[in-house]
Amino acid sequence: MAPNAGSSSQKGEGNLGKKIILGGVSVMLVVAVVVAAVSFSTRTHGDKSDEHLSTSVKAVNTICAPTDHKESCENVMNEAVQNNGGNTDPKELVKAAFHAAIEELKSVFNMSAGMGQKESDPMTKMALSDCEDLMQSAIQELQASFSAVGDKELHTLSDRIDEIKNWLSAVLSYQQACMDGVPHPEVKSAISNGMVNATQLTSNALAIVSEVAAILSAFNIPFNFNPNKRKLLSEMDSKGFPTWLSAADRKLLAFKDTQKLNPDVVVAQDGSGNFKTINDALKNIPKSRSGRYVIYVKAGIYREQVLIENEMENIFMYGDGPRKTVVTASKNYVDGTPTYQTATFAAEGNGFICKSMGFRNTAGPEKHQAVAVRVKSDMSAFYNCRMDAYQDTLYVQTHRQFYRNCIISGTVDFIFGDSAVVLQNCKLIVRKPMDNQQNIVTAQGRTDKREPTGIVIHNCRIVPEMKLYASRFTTKTYLGRPWKEYSRTIIMESTIADFIQSDGYMPWDGDFALKTLYYAEYGNRGPGARTTRRVRWPGVKVINRREALQYTVGSFLDGQSWLPATGAPFMPGLRA
């Protein structure tokens, strides 16, 4: 949940895709390679007893060296060695590390479930239910890694580093969303305390993956990162489609005019389609289907909350235009719904694509947190869509996301979350808030410095709505504020109107995160783009072209490897 501007309250808050499993496999392989390498490097020194002890100590110390929570890392691995009679088999150490994290998450899951059964407050009860769902997602992803420890294809390791970091970052986000969503102070404290070890172990895994090259270098062992060996979607045929793409998907993506598509099902309120509601269409998706599933939603106002569930992968949903095909609801925090559950439309299944639809949360500014769209779908894309609400309009929750030619409107923290997301060629409309409120465009939620996440606004327009125009200088509007400790937002090659405060950014609460955040601007234009009077926090920067290239679609999202298959247009680099 996002607080009102000036408030101290915090934001609230399966069928796994092959990418999750592959990412999990690679986590195991990273550690396995390191431990095996350490074992090999010490095998030729000393007698067998000293050699074994030295190997054990060095293996544990080397793996845990880059982590921020060394004690928890060393405790888990040393205990594993002792329990296995001094055995430093890499597989056993890896199993122990992930088994410990899984067990901690299971404890939190059981804790939240137990509390939920006893809880009488409806909102706290719903928040604990959210925790169960979030912890289940985290557990499933870690279990996929745990079960894949026997994989032998070590040569695939370097191809999956970015994938691993993406999924471990999501696990951290799930944990944080659970803690943030609980409104009751005592219950929140209990959940947070129970989450400490799980969060530390996940953070340690992310550190190991991020620093694997340095770890191997310490033992003079070469490790060659060669992303070109990847099975890239950007390996195109003569017509511009990925070479591995199915014939059906090629035919689908070849259509520039969606009216000529042959969808799997049609949703129409007037009864001219297969279903009258989007939810009915989703309930009837065949379990045995393969390939992309296409849902056409005809023009109409659909008053329903929609959830694309985890197992609903590779869904393509399109409408007749963002003002013609509109999904609307009004769930909100003030009336007793946790932020996580207020979303009018939520996409969780991987590979979700949406085109030419509108989404609204009509609760109004007085109802505070009220999400229009929540997305945790990996490699998801929204094209020519519109999201309208006030506070917390677009919740970019986790994973890799892309928005092109979209309109997003709101007031407080209206683009927030912890995904790796690029909004390109979009129009961000700042609305008139309640009296004594301030507008903030972004509130990014990165909790770990190694997370590959952030909000990137590229070649967009940031403008006030007409109702705000007369009071645009007296109603303060900021580009962002740090929701979490390592908050990261980059605004580049965009047009910023004159109503943005010259200092650009505002604190969240006192000096929280002011020394660890990263807010960068590059090549922006318009009267609001002047940076001479920006706040002087260490992480607020005007970056150069080389630095800006790190946050383009091609680099930040590895977009050229998956966006062509979505059919959405995109610019992989900078404009100039």
Side-chain angles (χ1 to χ4, degrees), residues 392-420:
D392 288 4
T393 303
L394 175 59
Y395 186 1
V396 288
Q397 187 180 359
T398 56
H399 298 311
R400 293 162 290 190
Q401 305 179 23
F402 179 67
Y403 298 76
R404 170 83 178 205
N405 295 5
C406 292
I407 295 175
I408 303 144
S409 73
T411 55
V412 180
D413 303 339
F414 68 91
I415 302 170
F416 76 103
D418 190 28
S419 68

Side-chain angles (χ1 to χ4, degrees), residues 563-576:
L563 275 172
T566 69
F570 68 96
M571 179 167 51
L574 296 169
R575 292 177 66 246

Side-chain angles (χ1 to χ4, degrees), residues 214-248:
I215 292 172
L216 294 179
S217 177
F219 291 90
N220 298 315
I221 300 169
F223 186 74
N224 182 28
F225 288 95
N226 187 2
N228 293 324
K229 288 186 178 180
R230 227 177 314 193
K231 182 182 178 182
L232 292 176
L233 299 183
S234 53
E235 294 172 356
M236 301 297 181
D237 62 18
S238 60
K239 295 184 178 180
F241 294 117
T243 54
W244 58 267
L245 200 63
S246 71

Side-chain angles (χ1 to χ4, degrees), residues 17 20 167 310 312-314 348-352 376-378 399:
I20 299 177
W167 289 108
N310 277 319
M312 298 177 182
E313 296 186 344
N314 297 319
E348 297 187 349
N350 292 338
F352 179 73
K376 80 170 193 177
S377 169
D378 191 25
H399 298 311

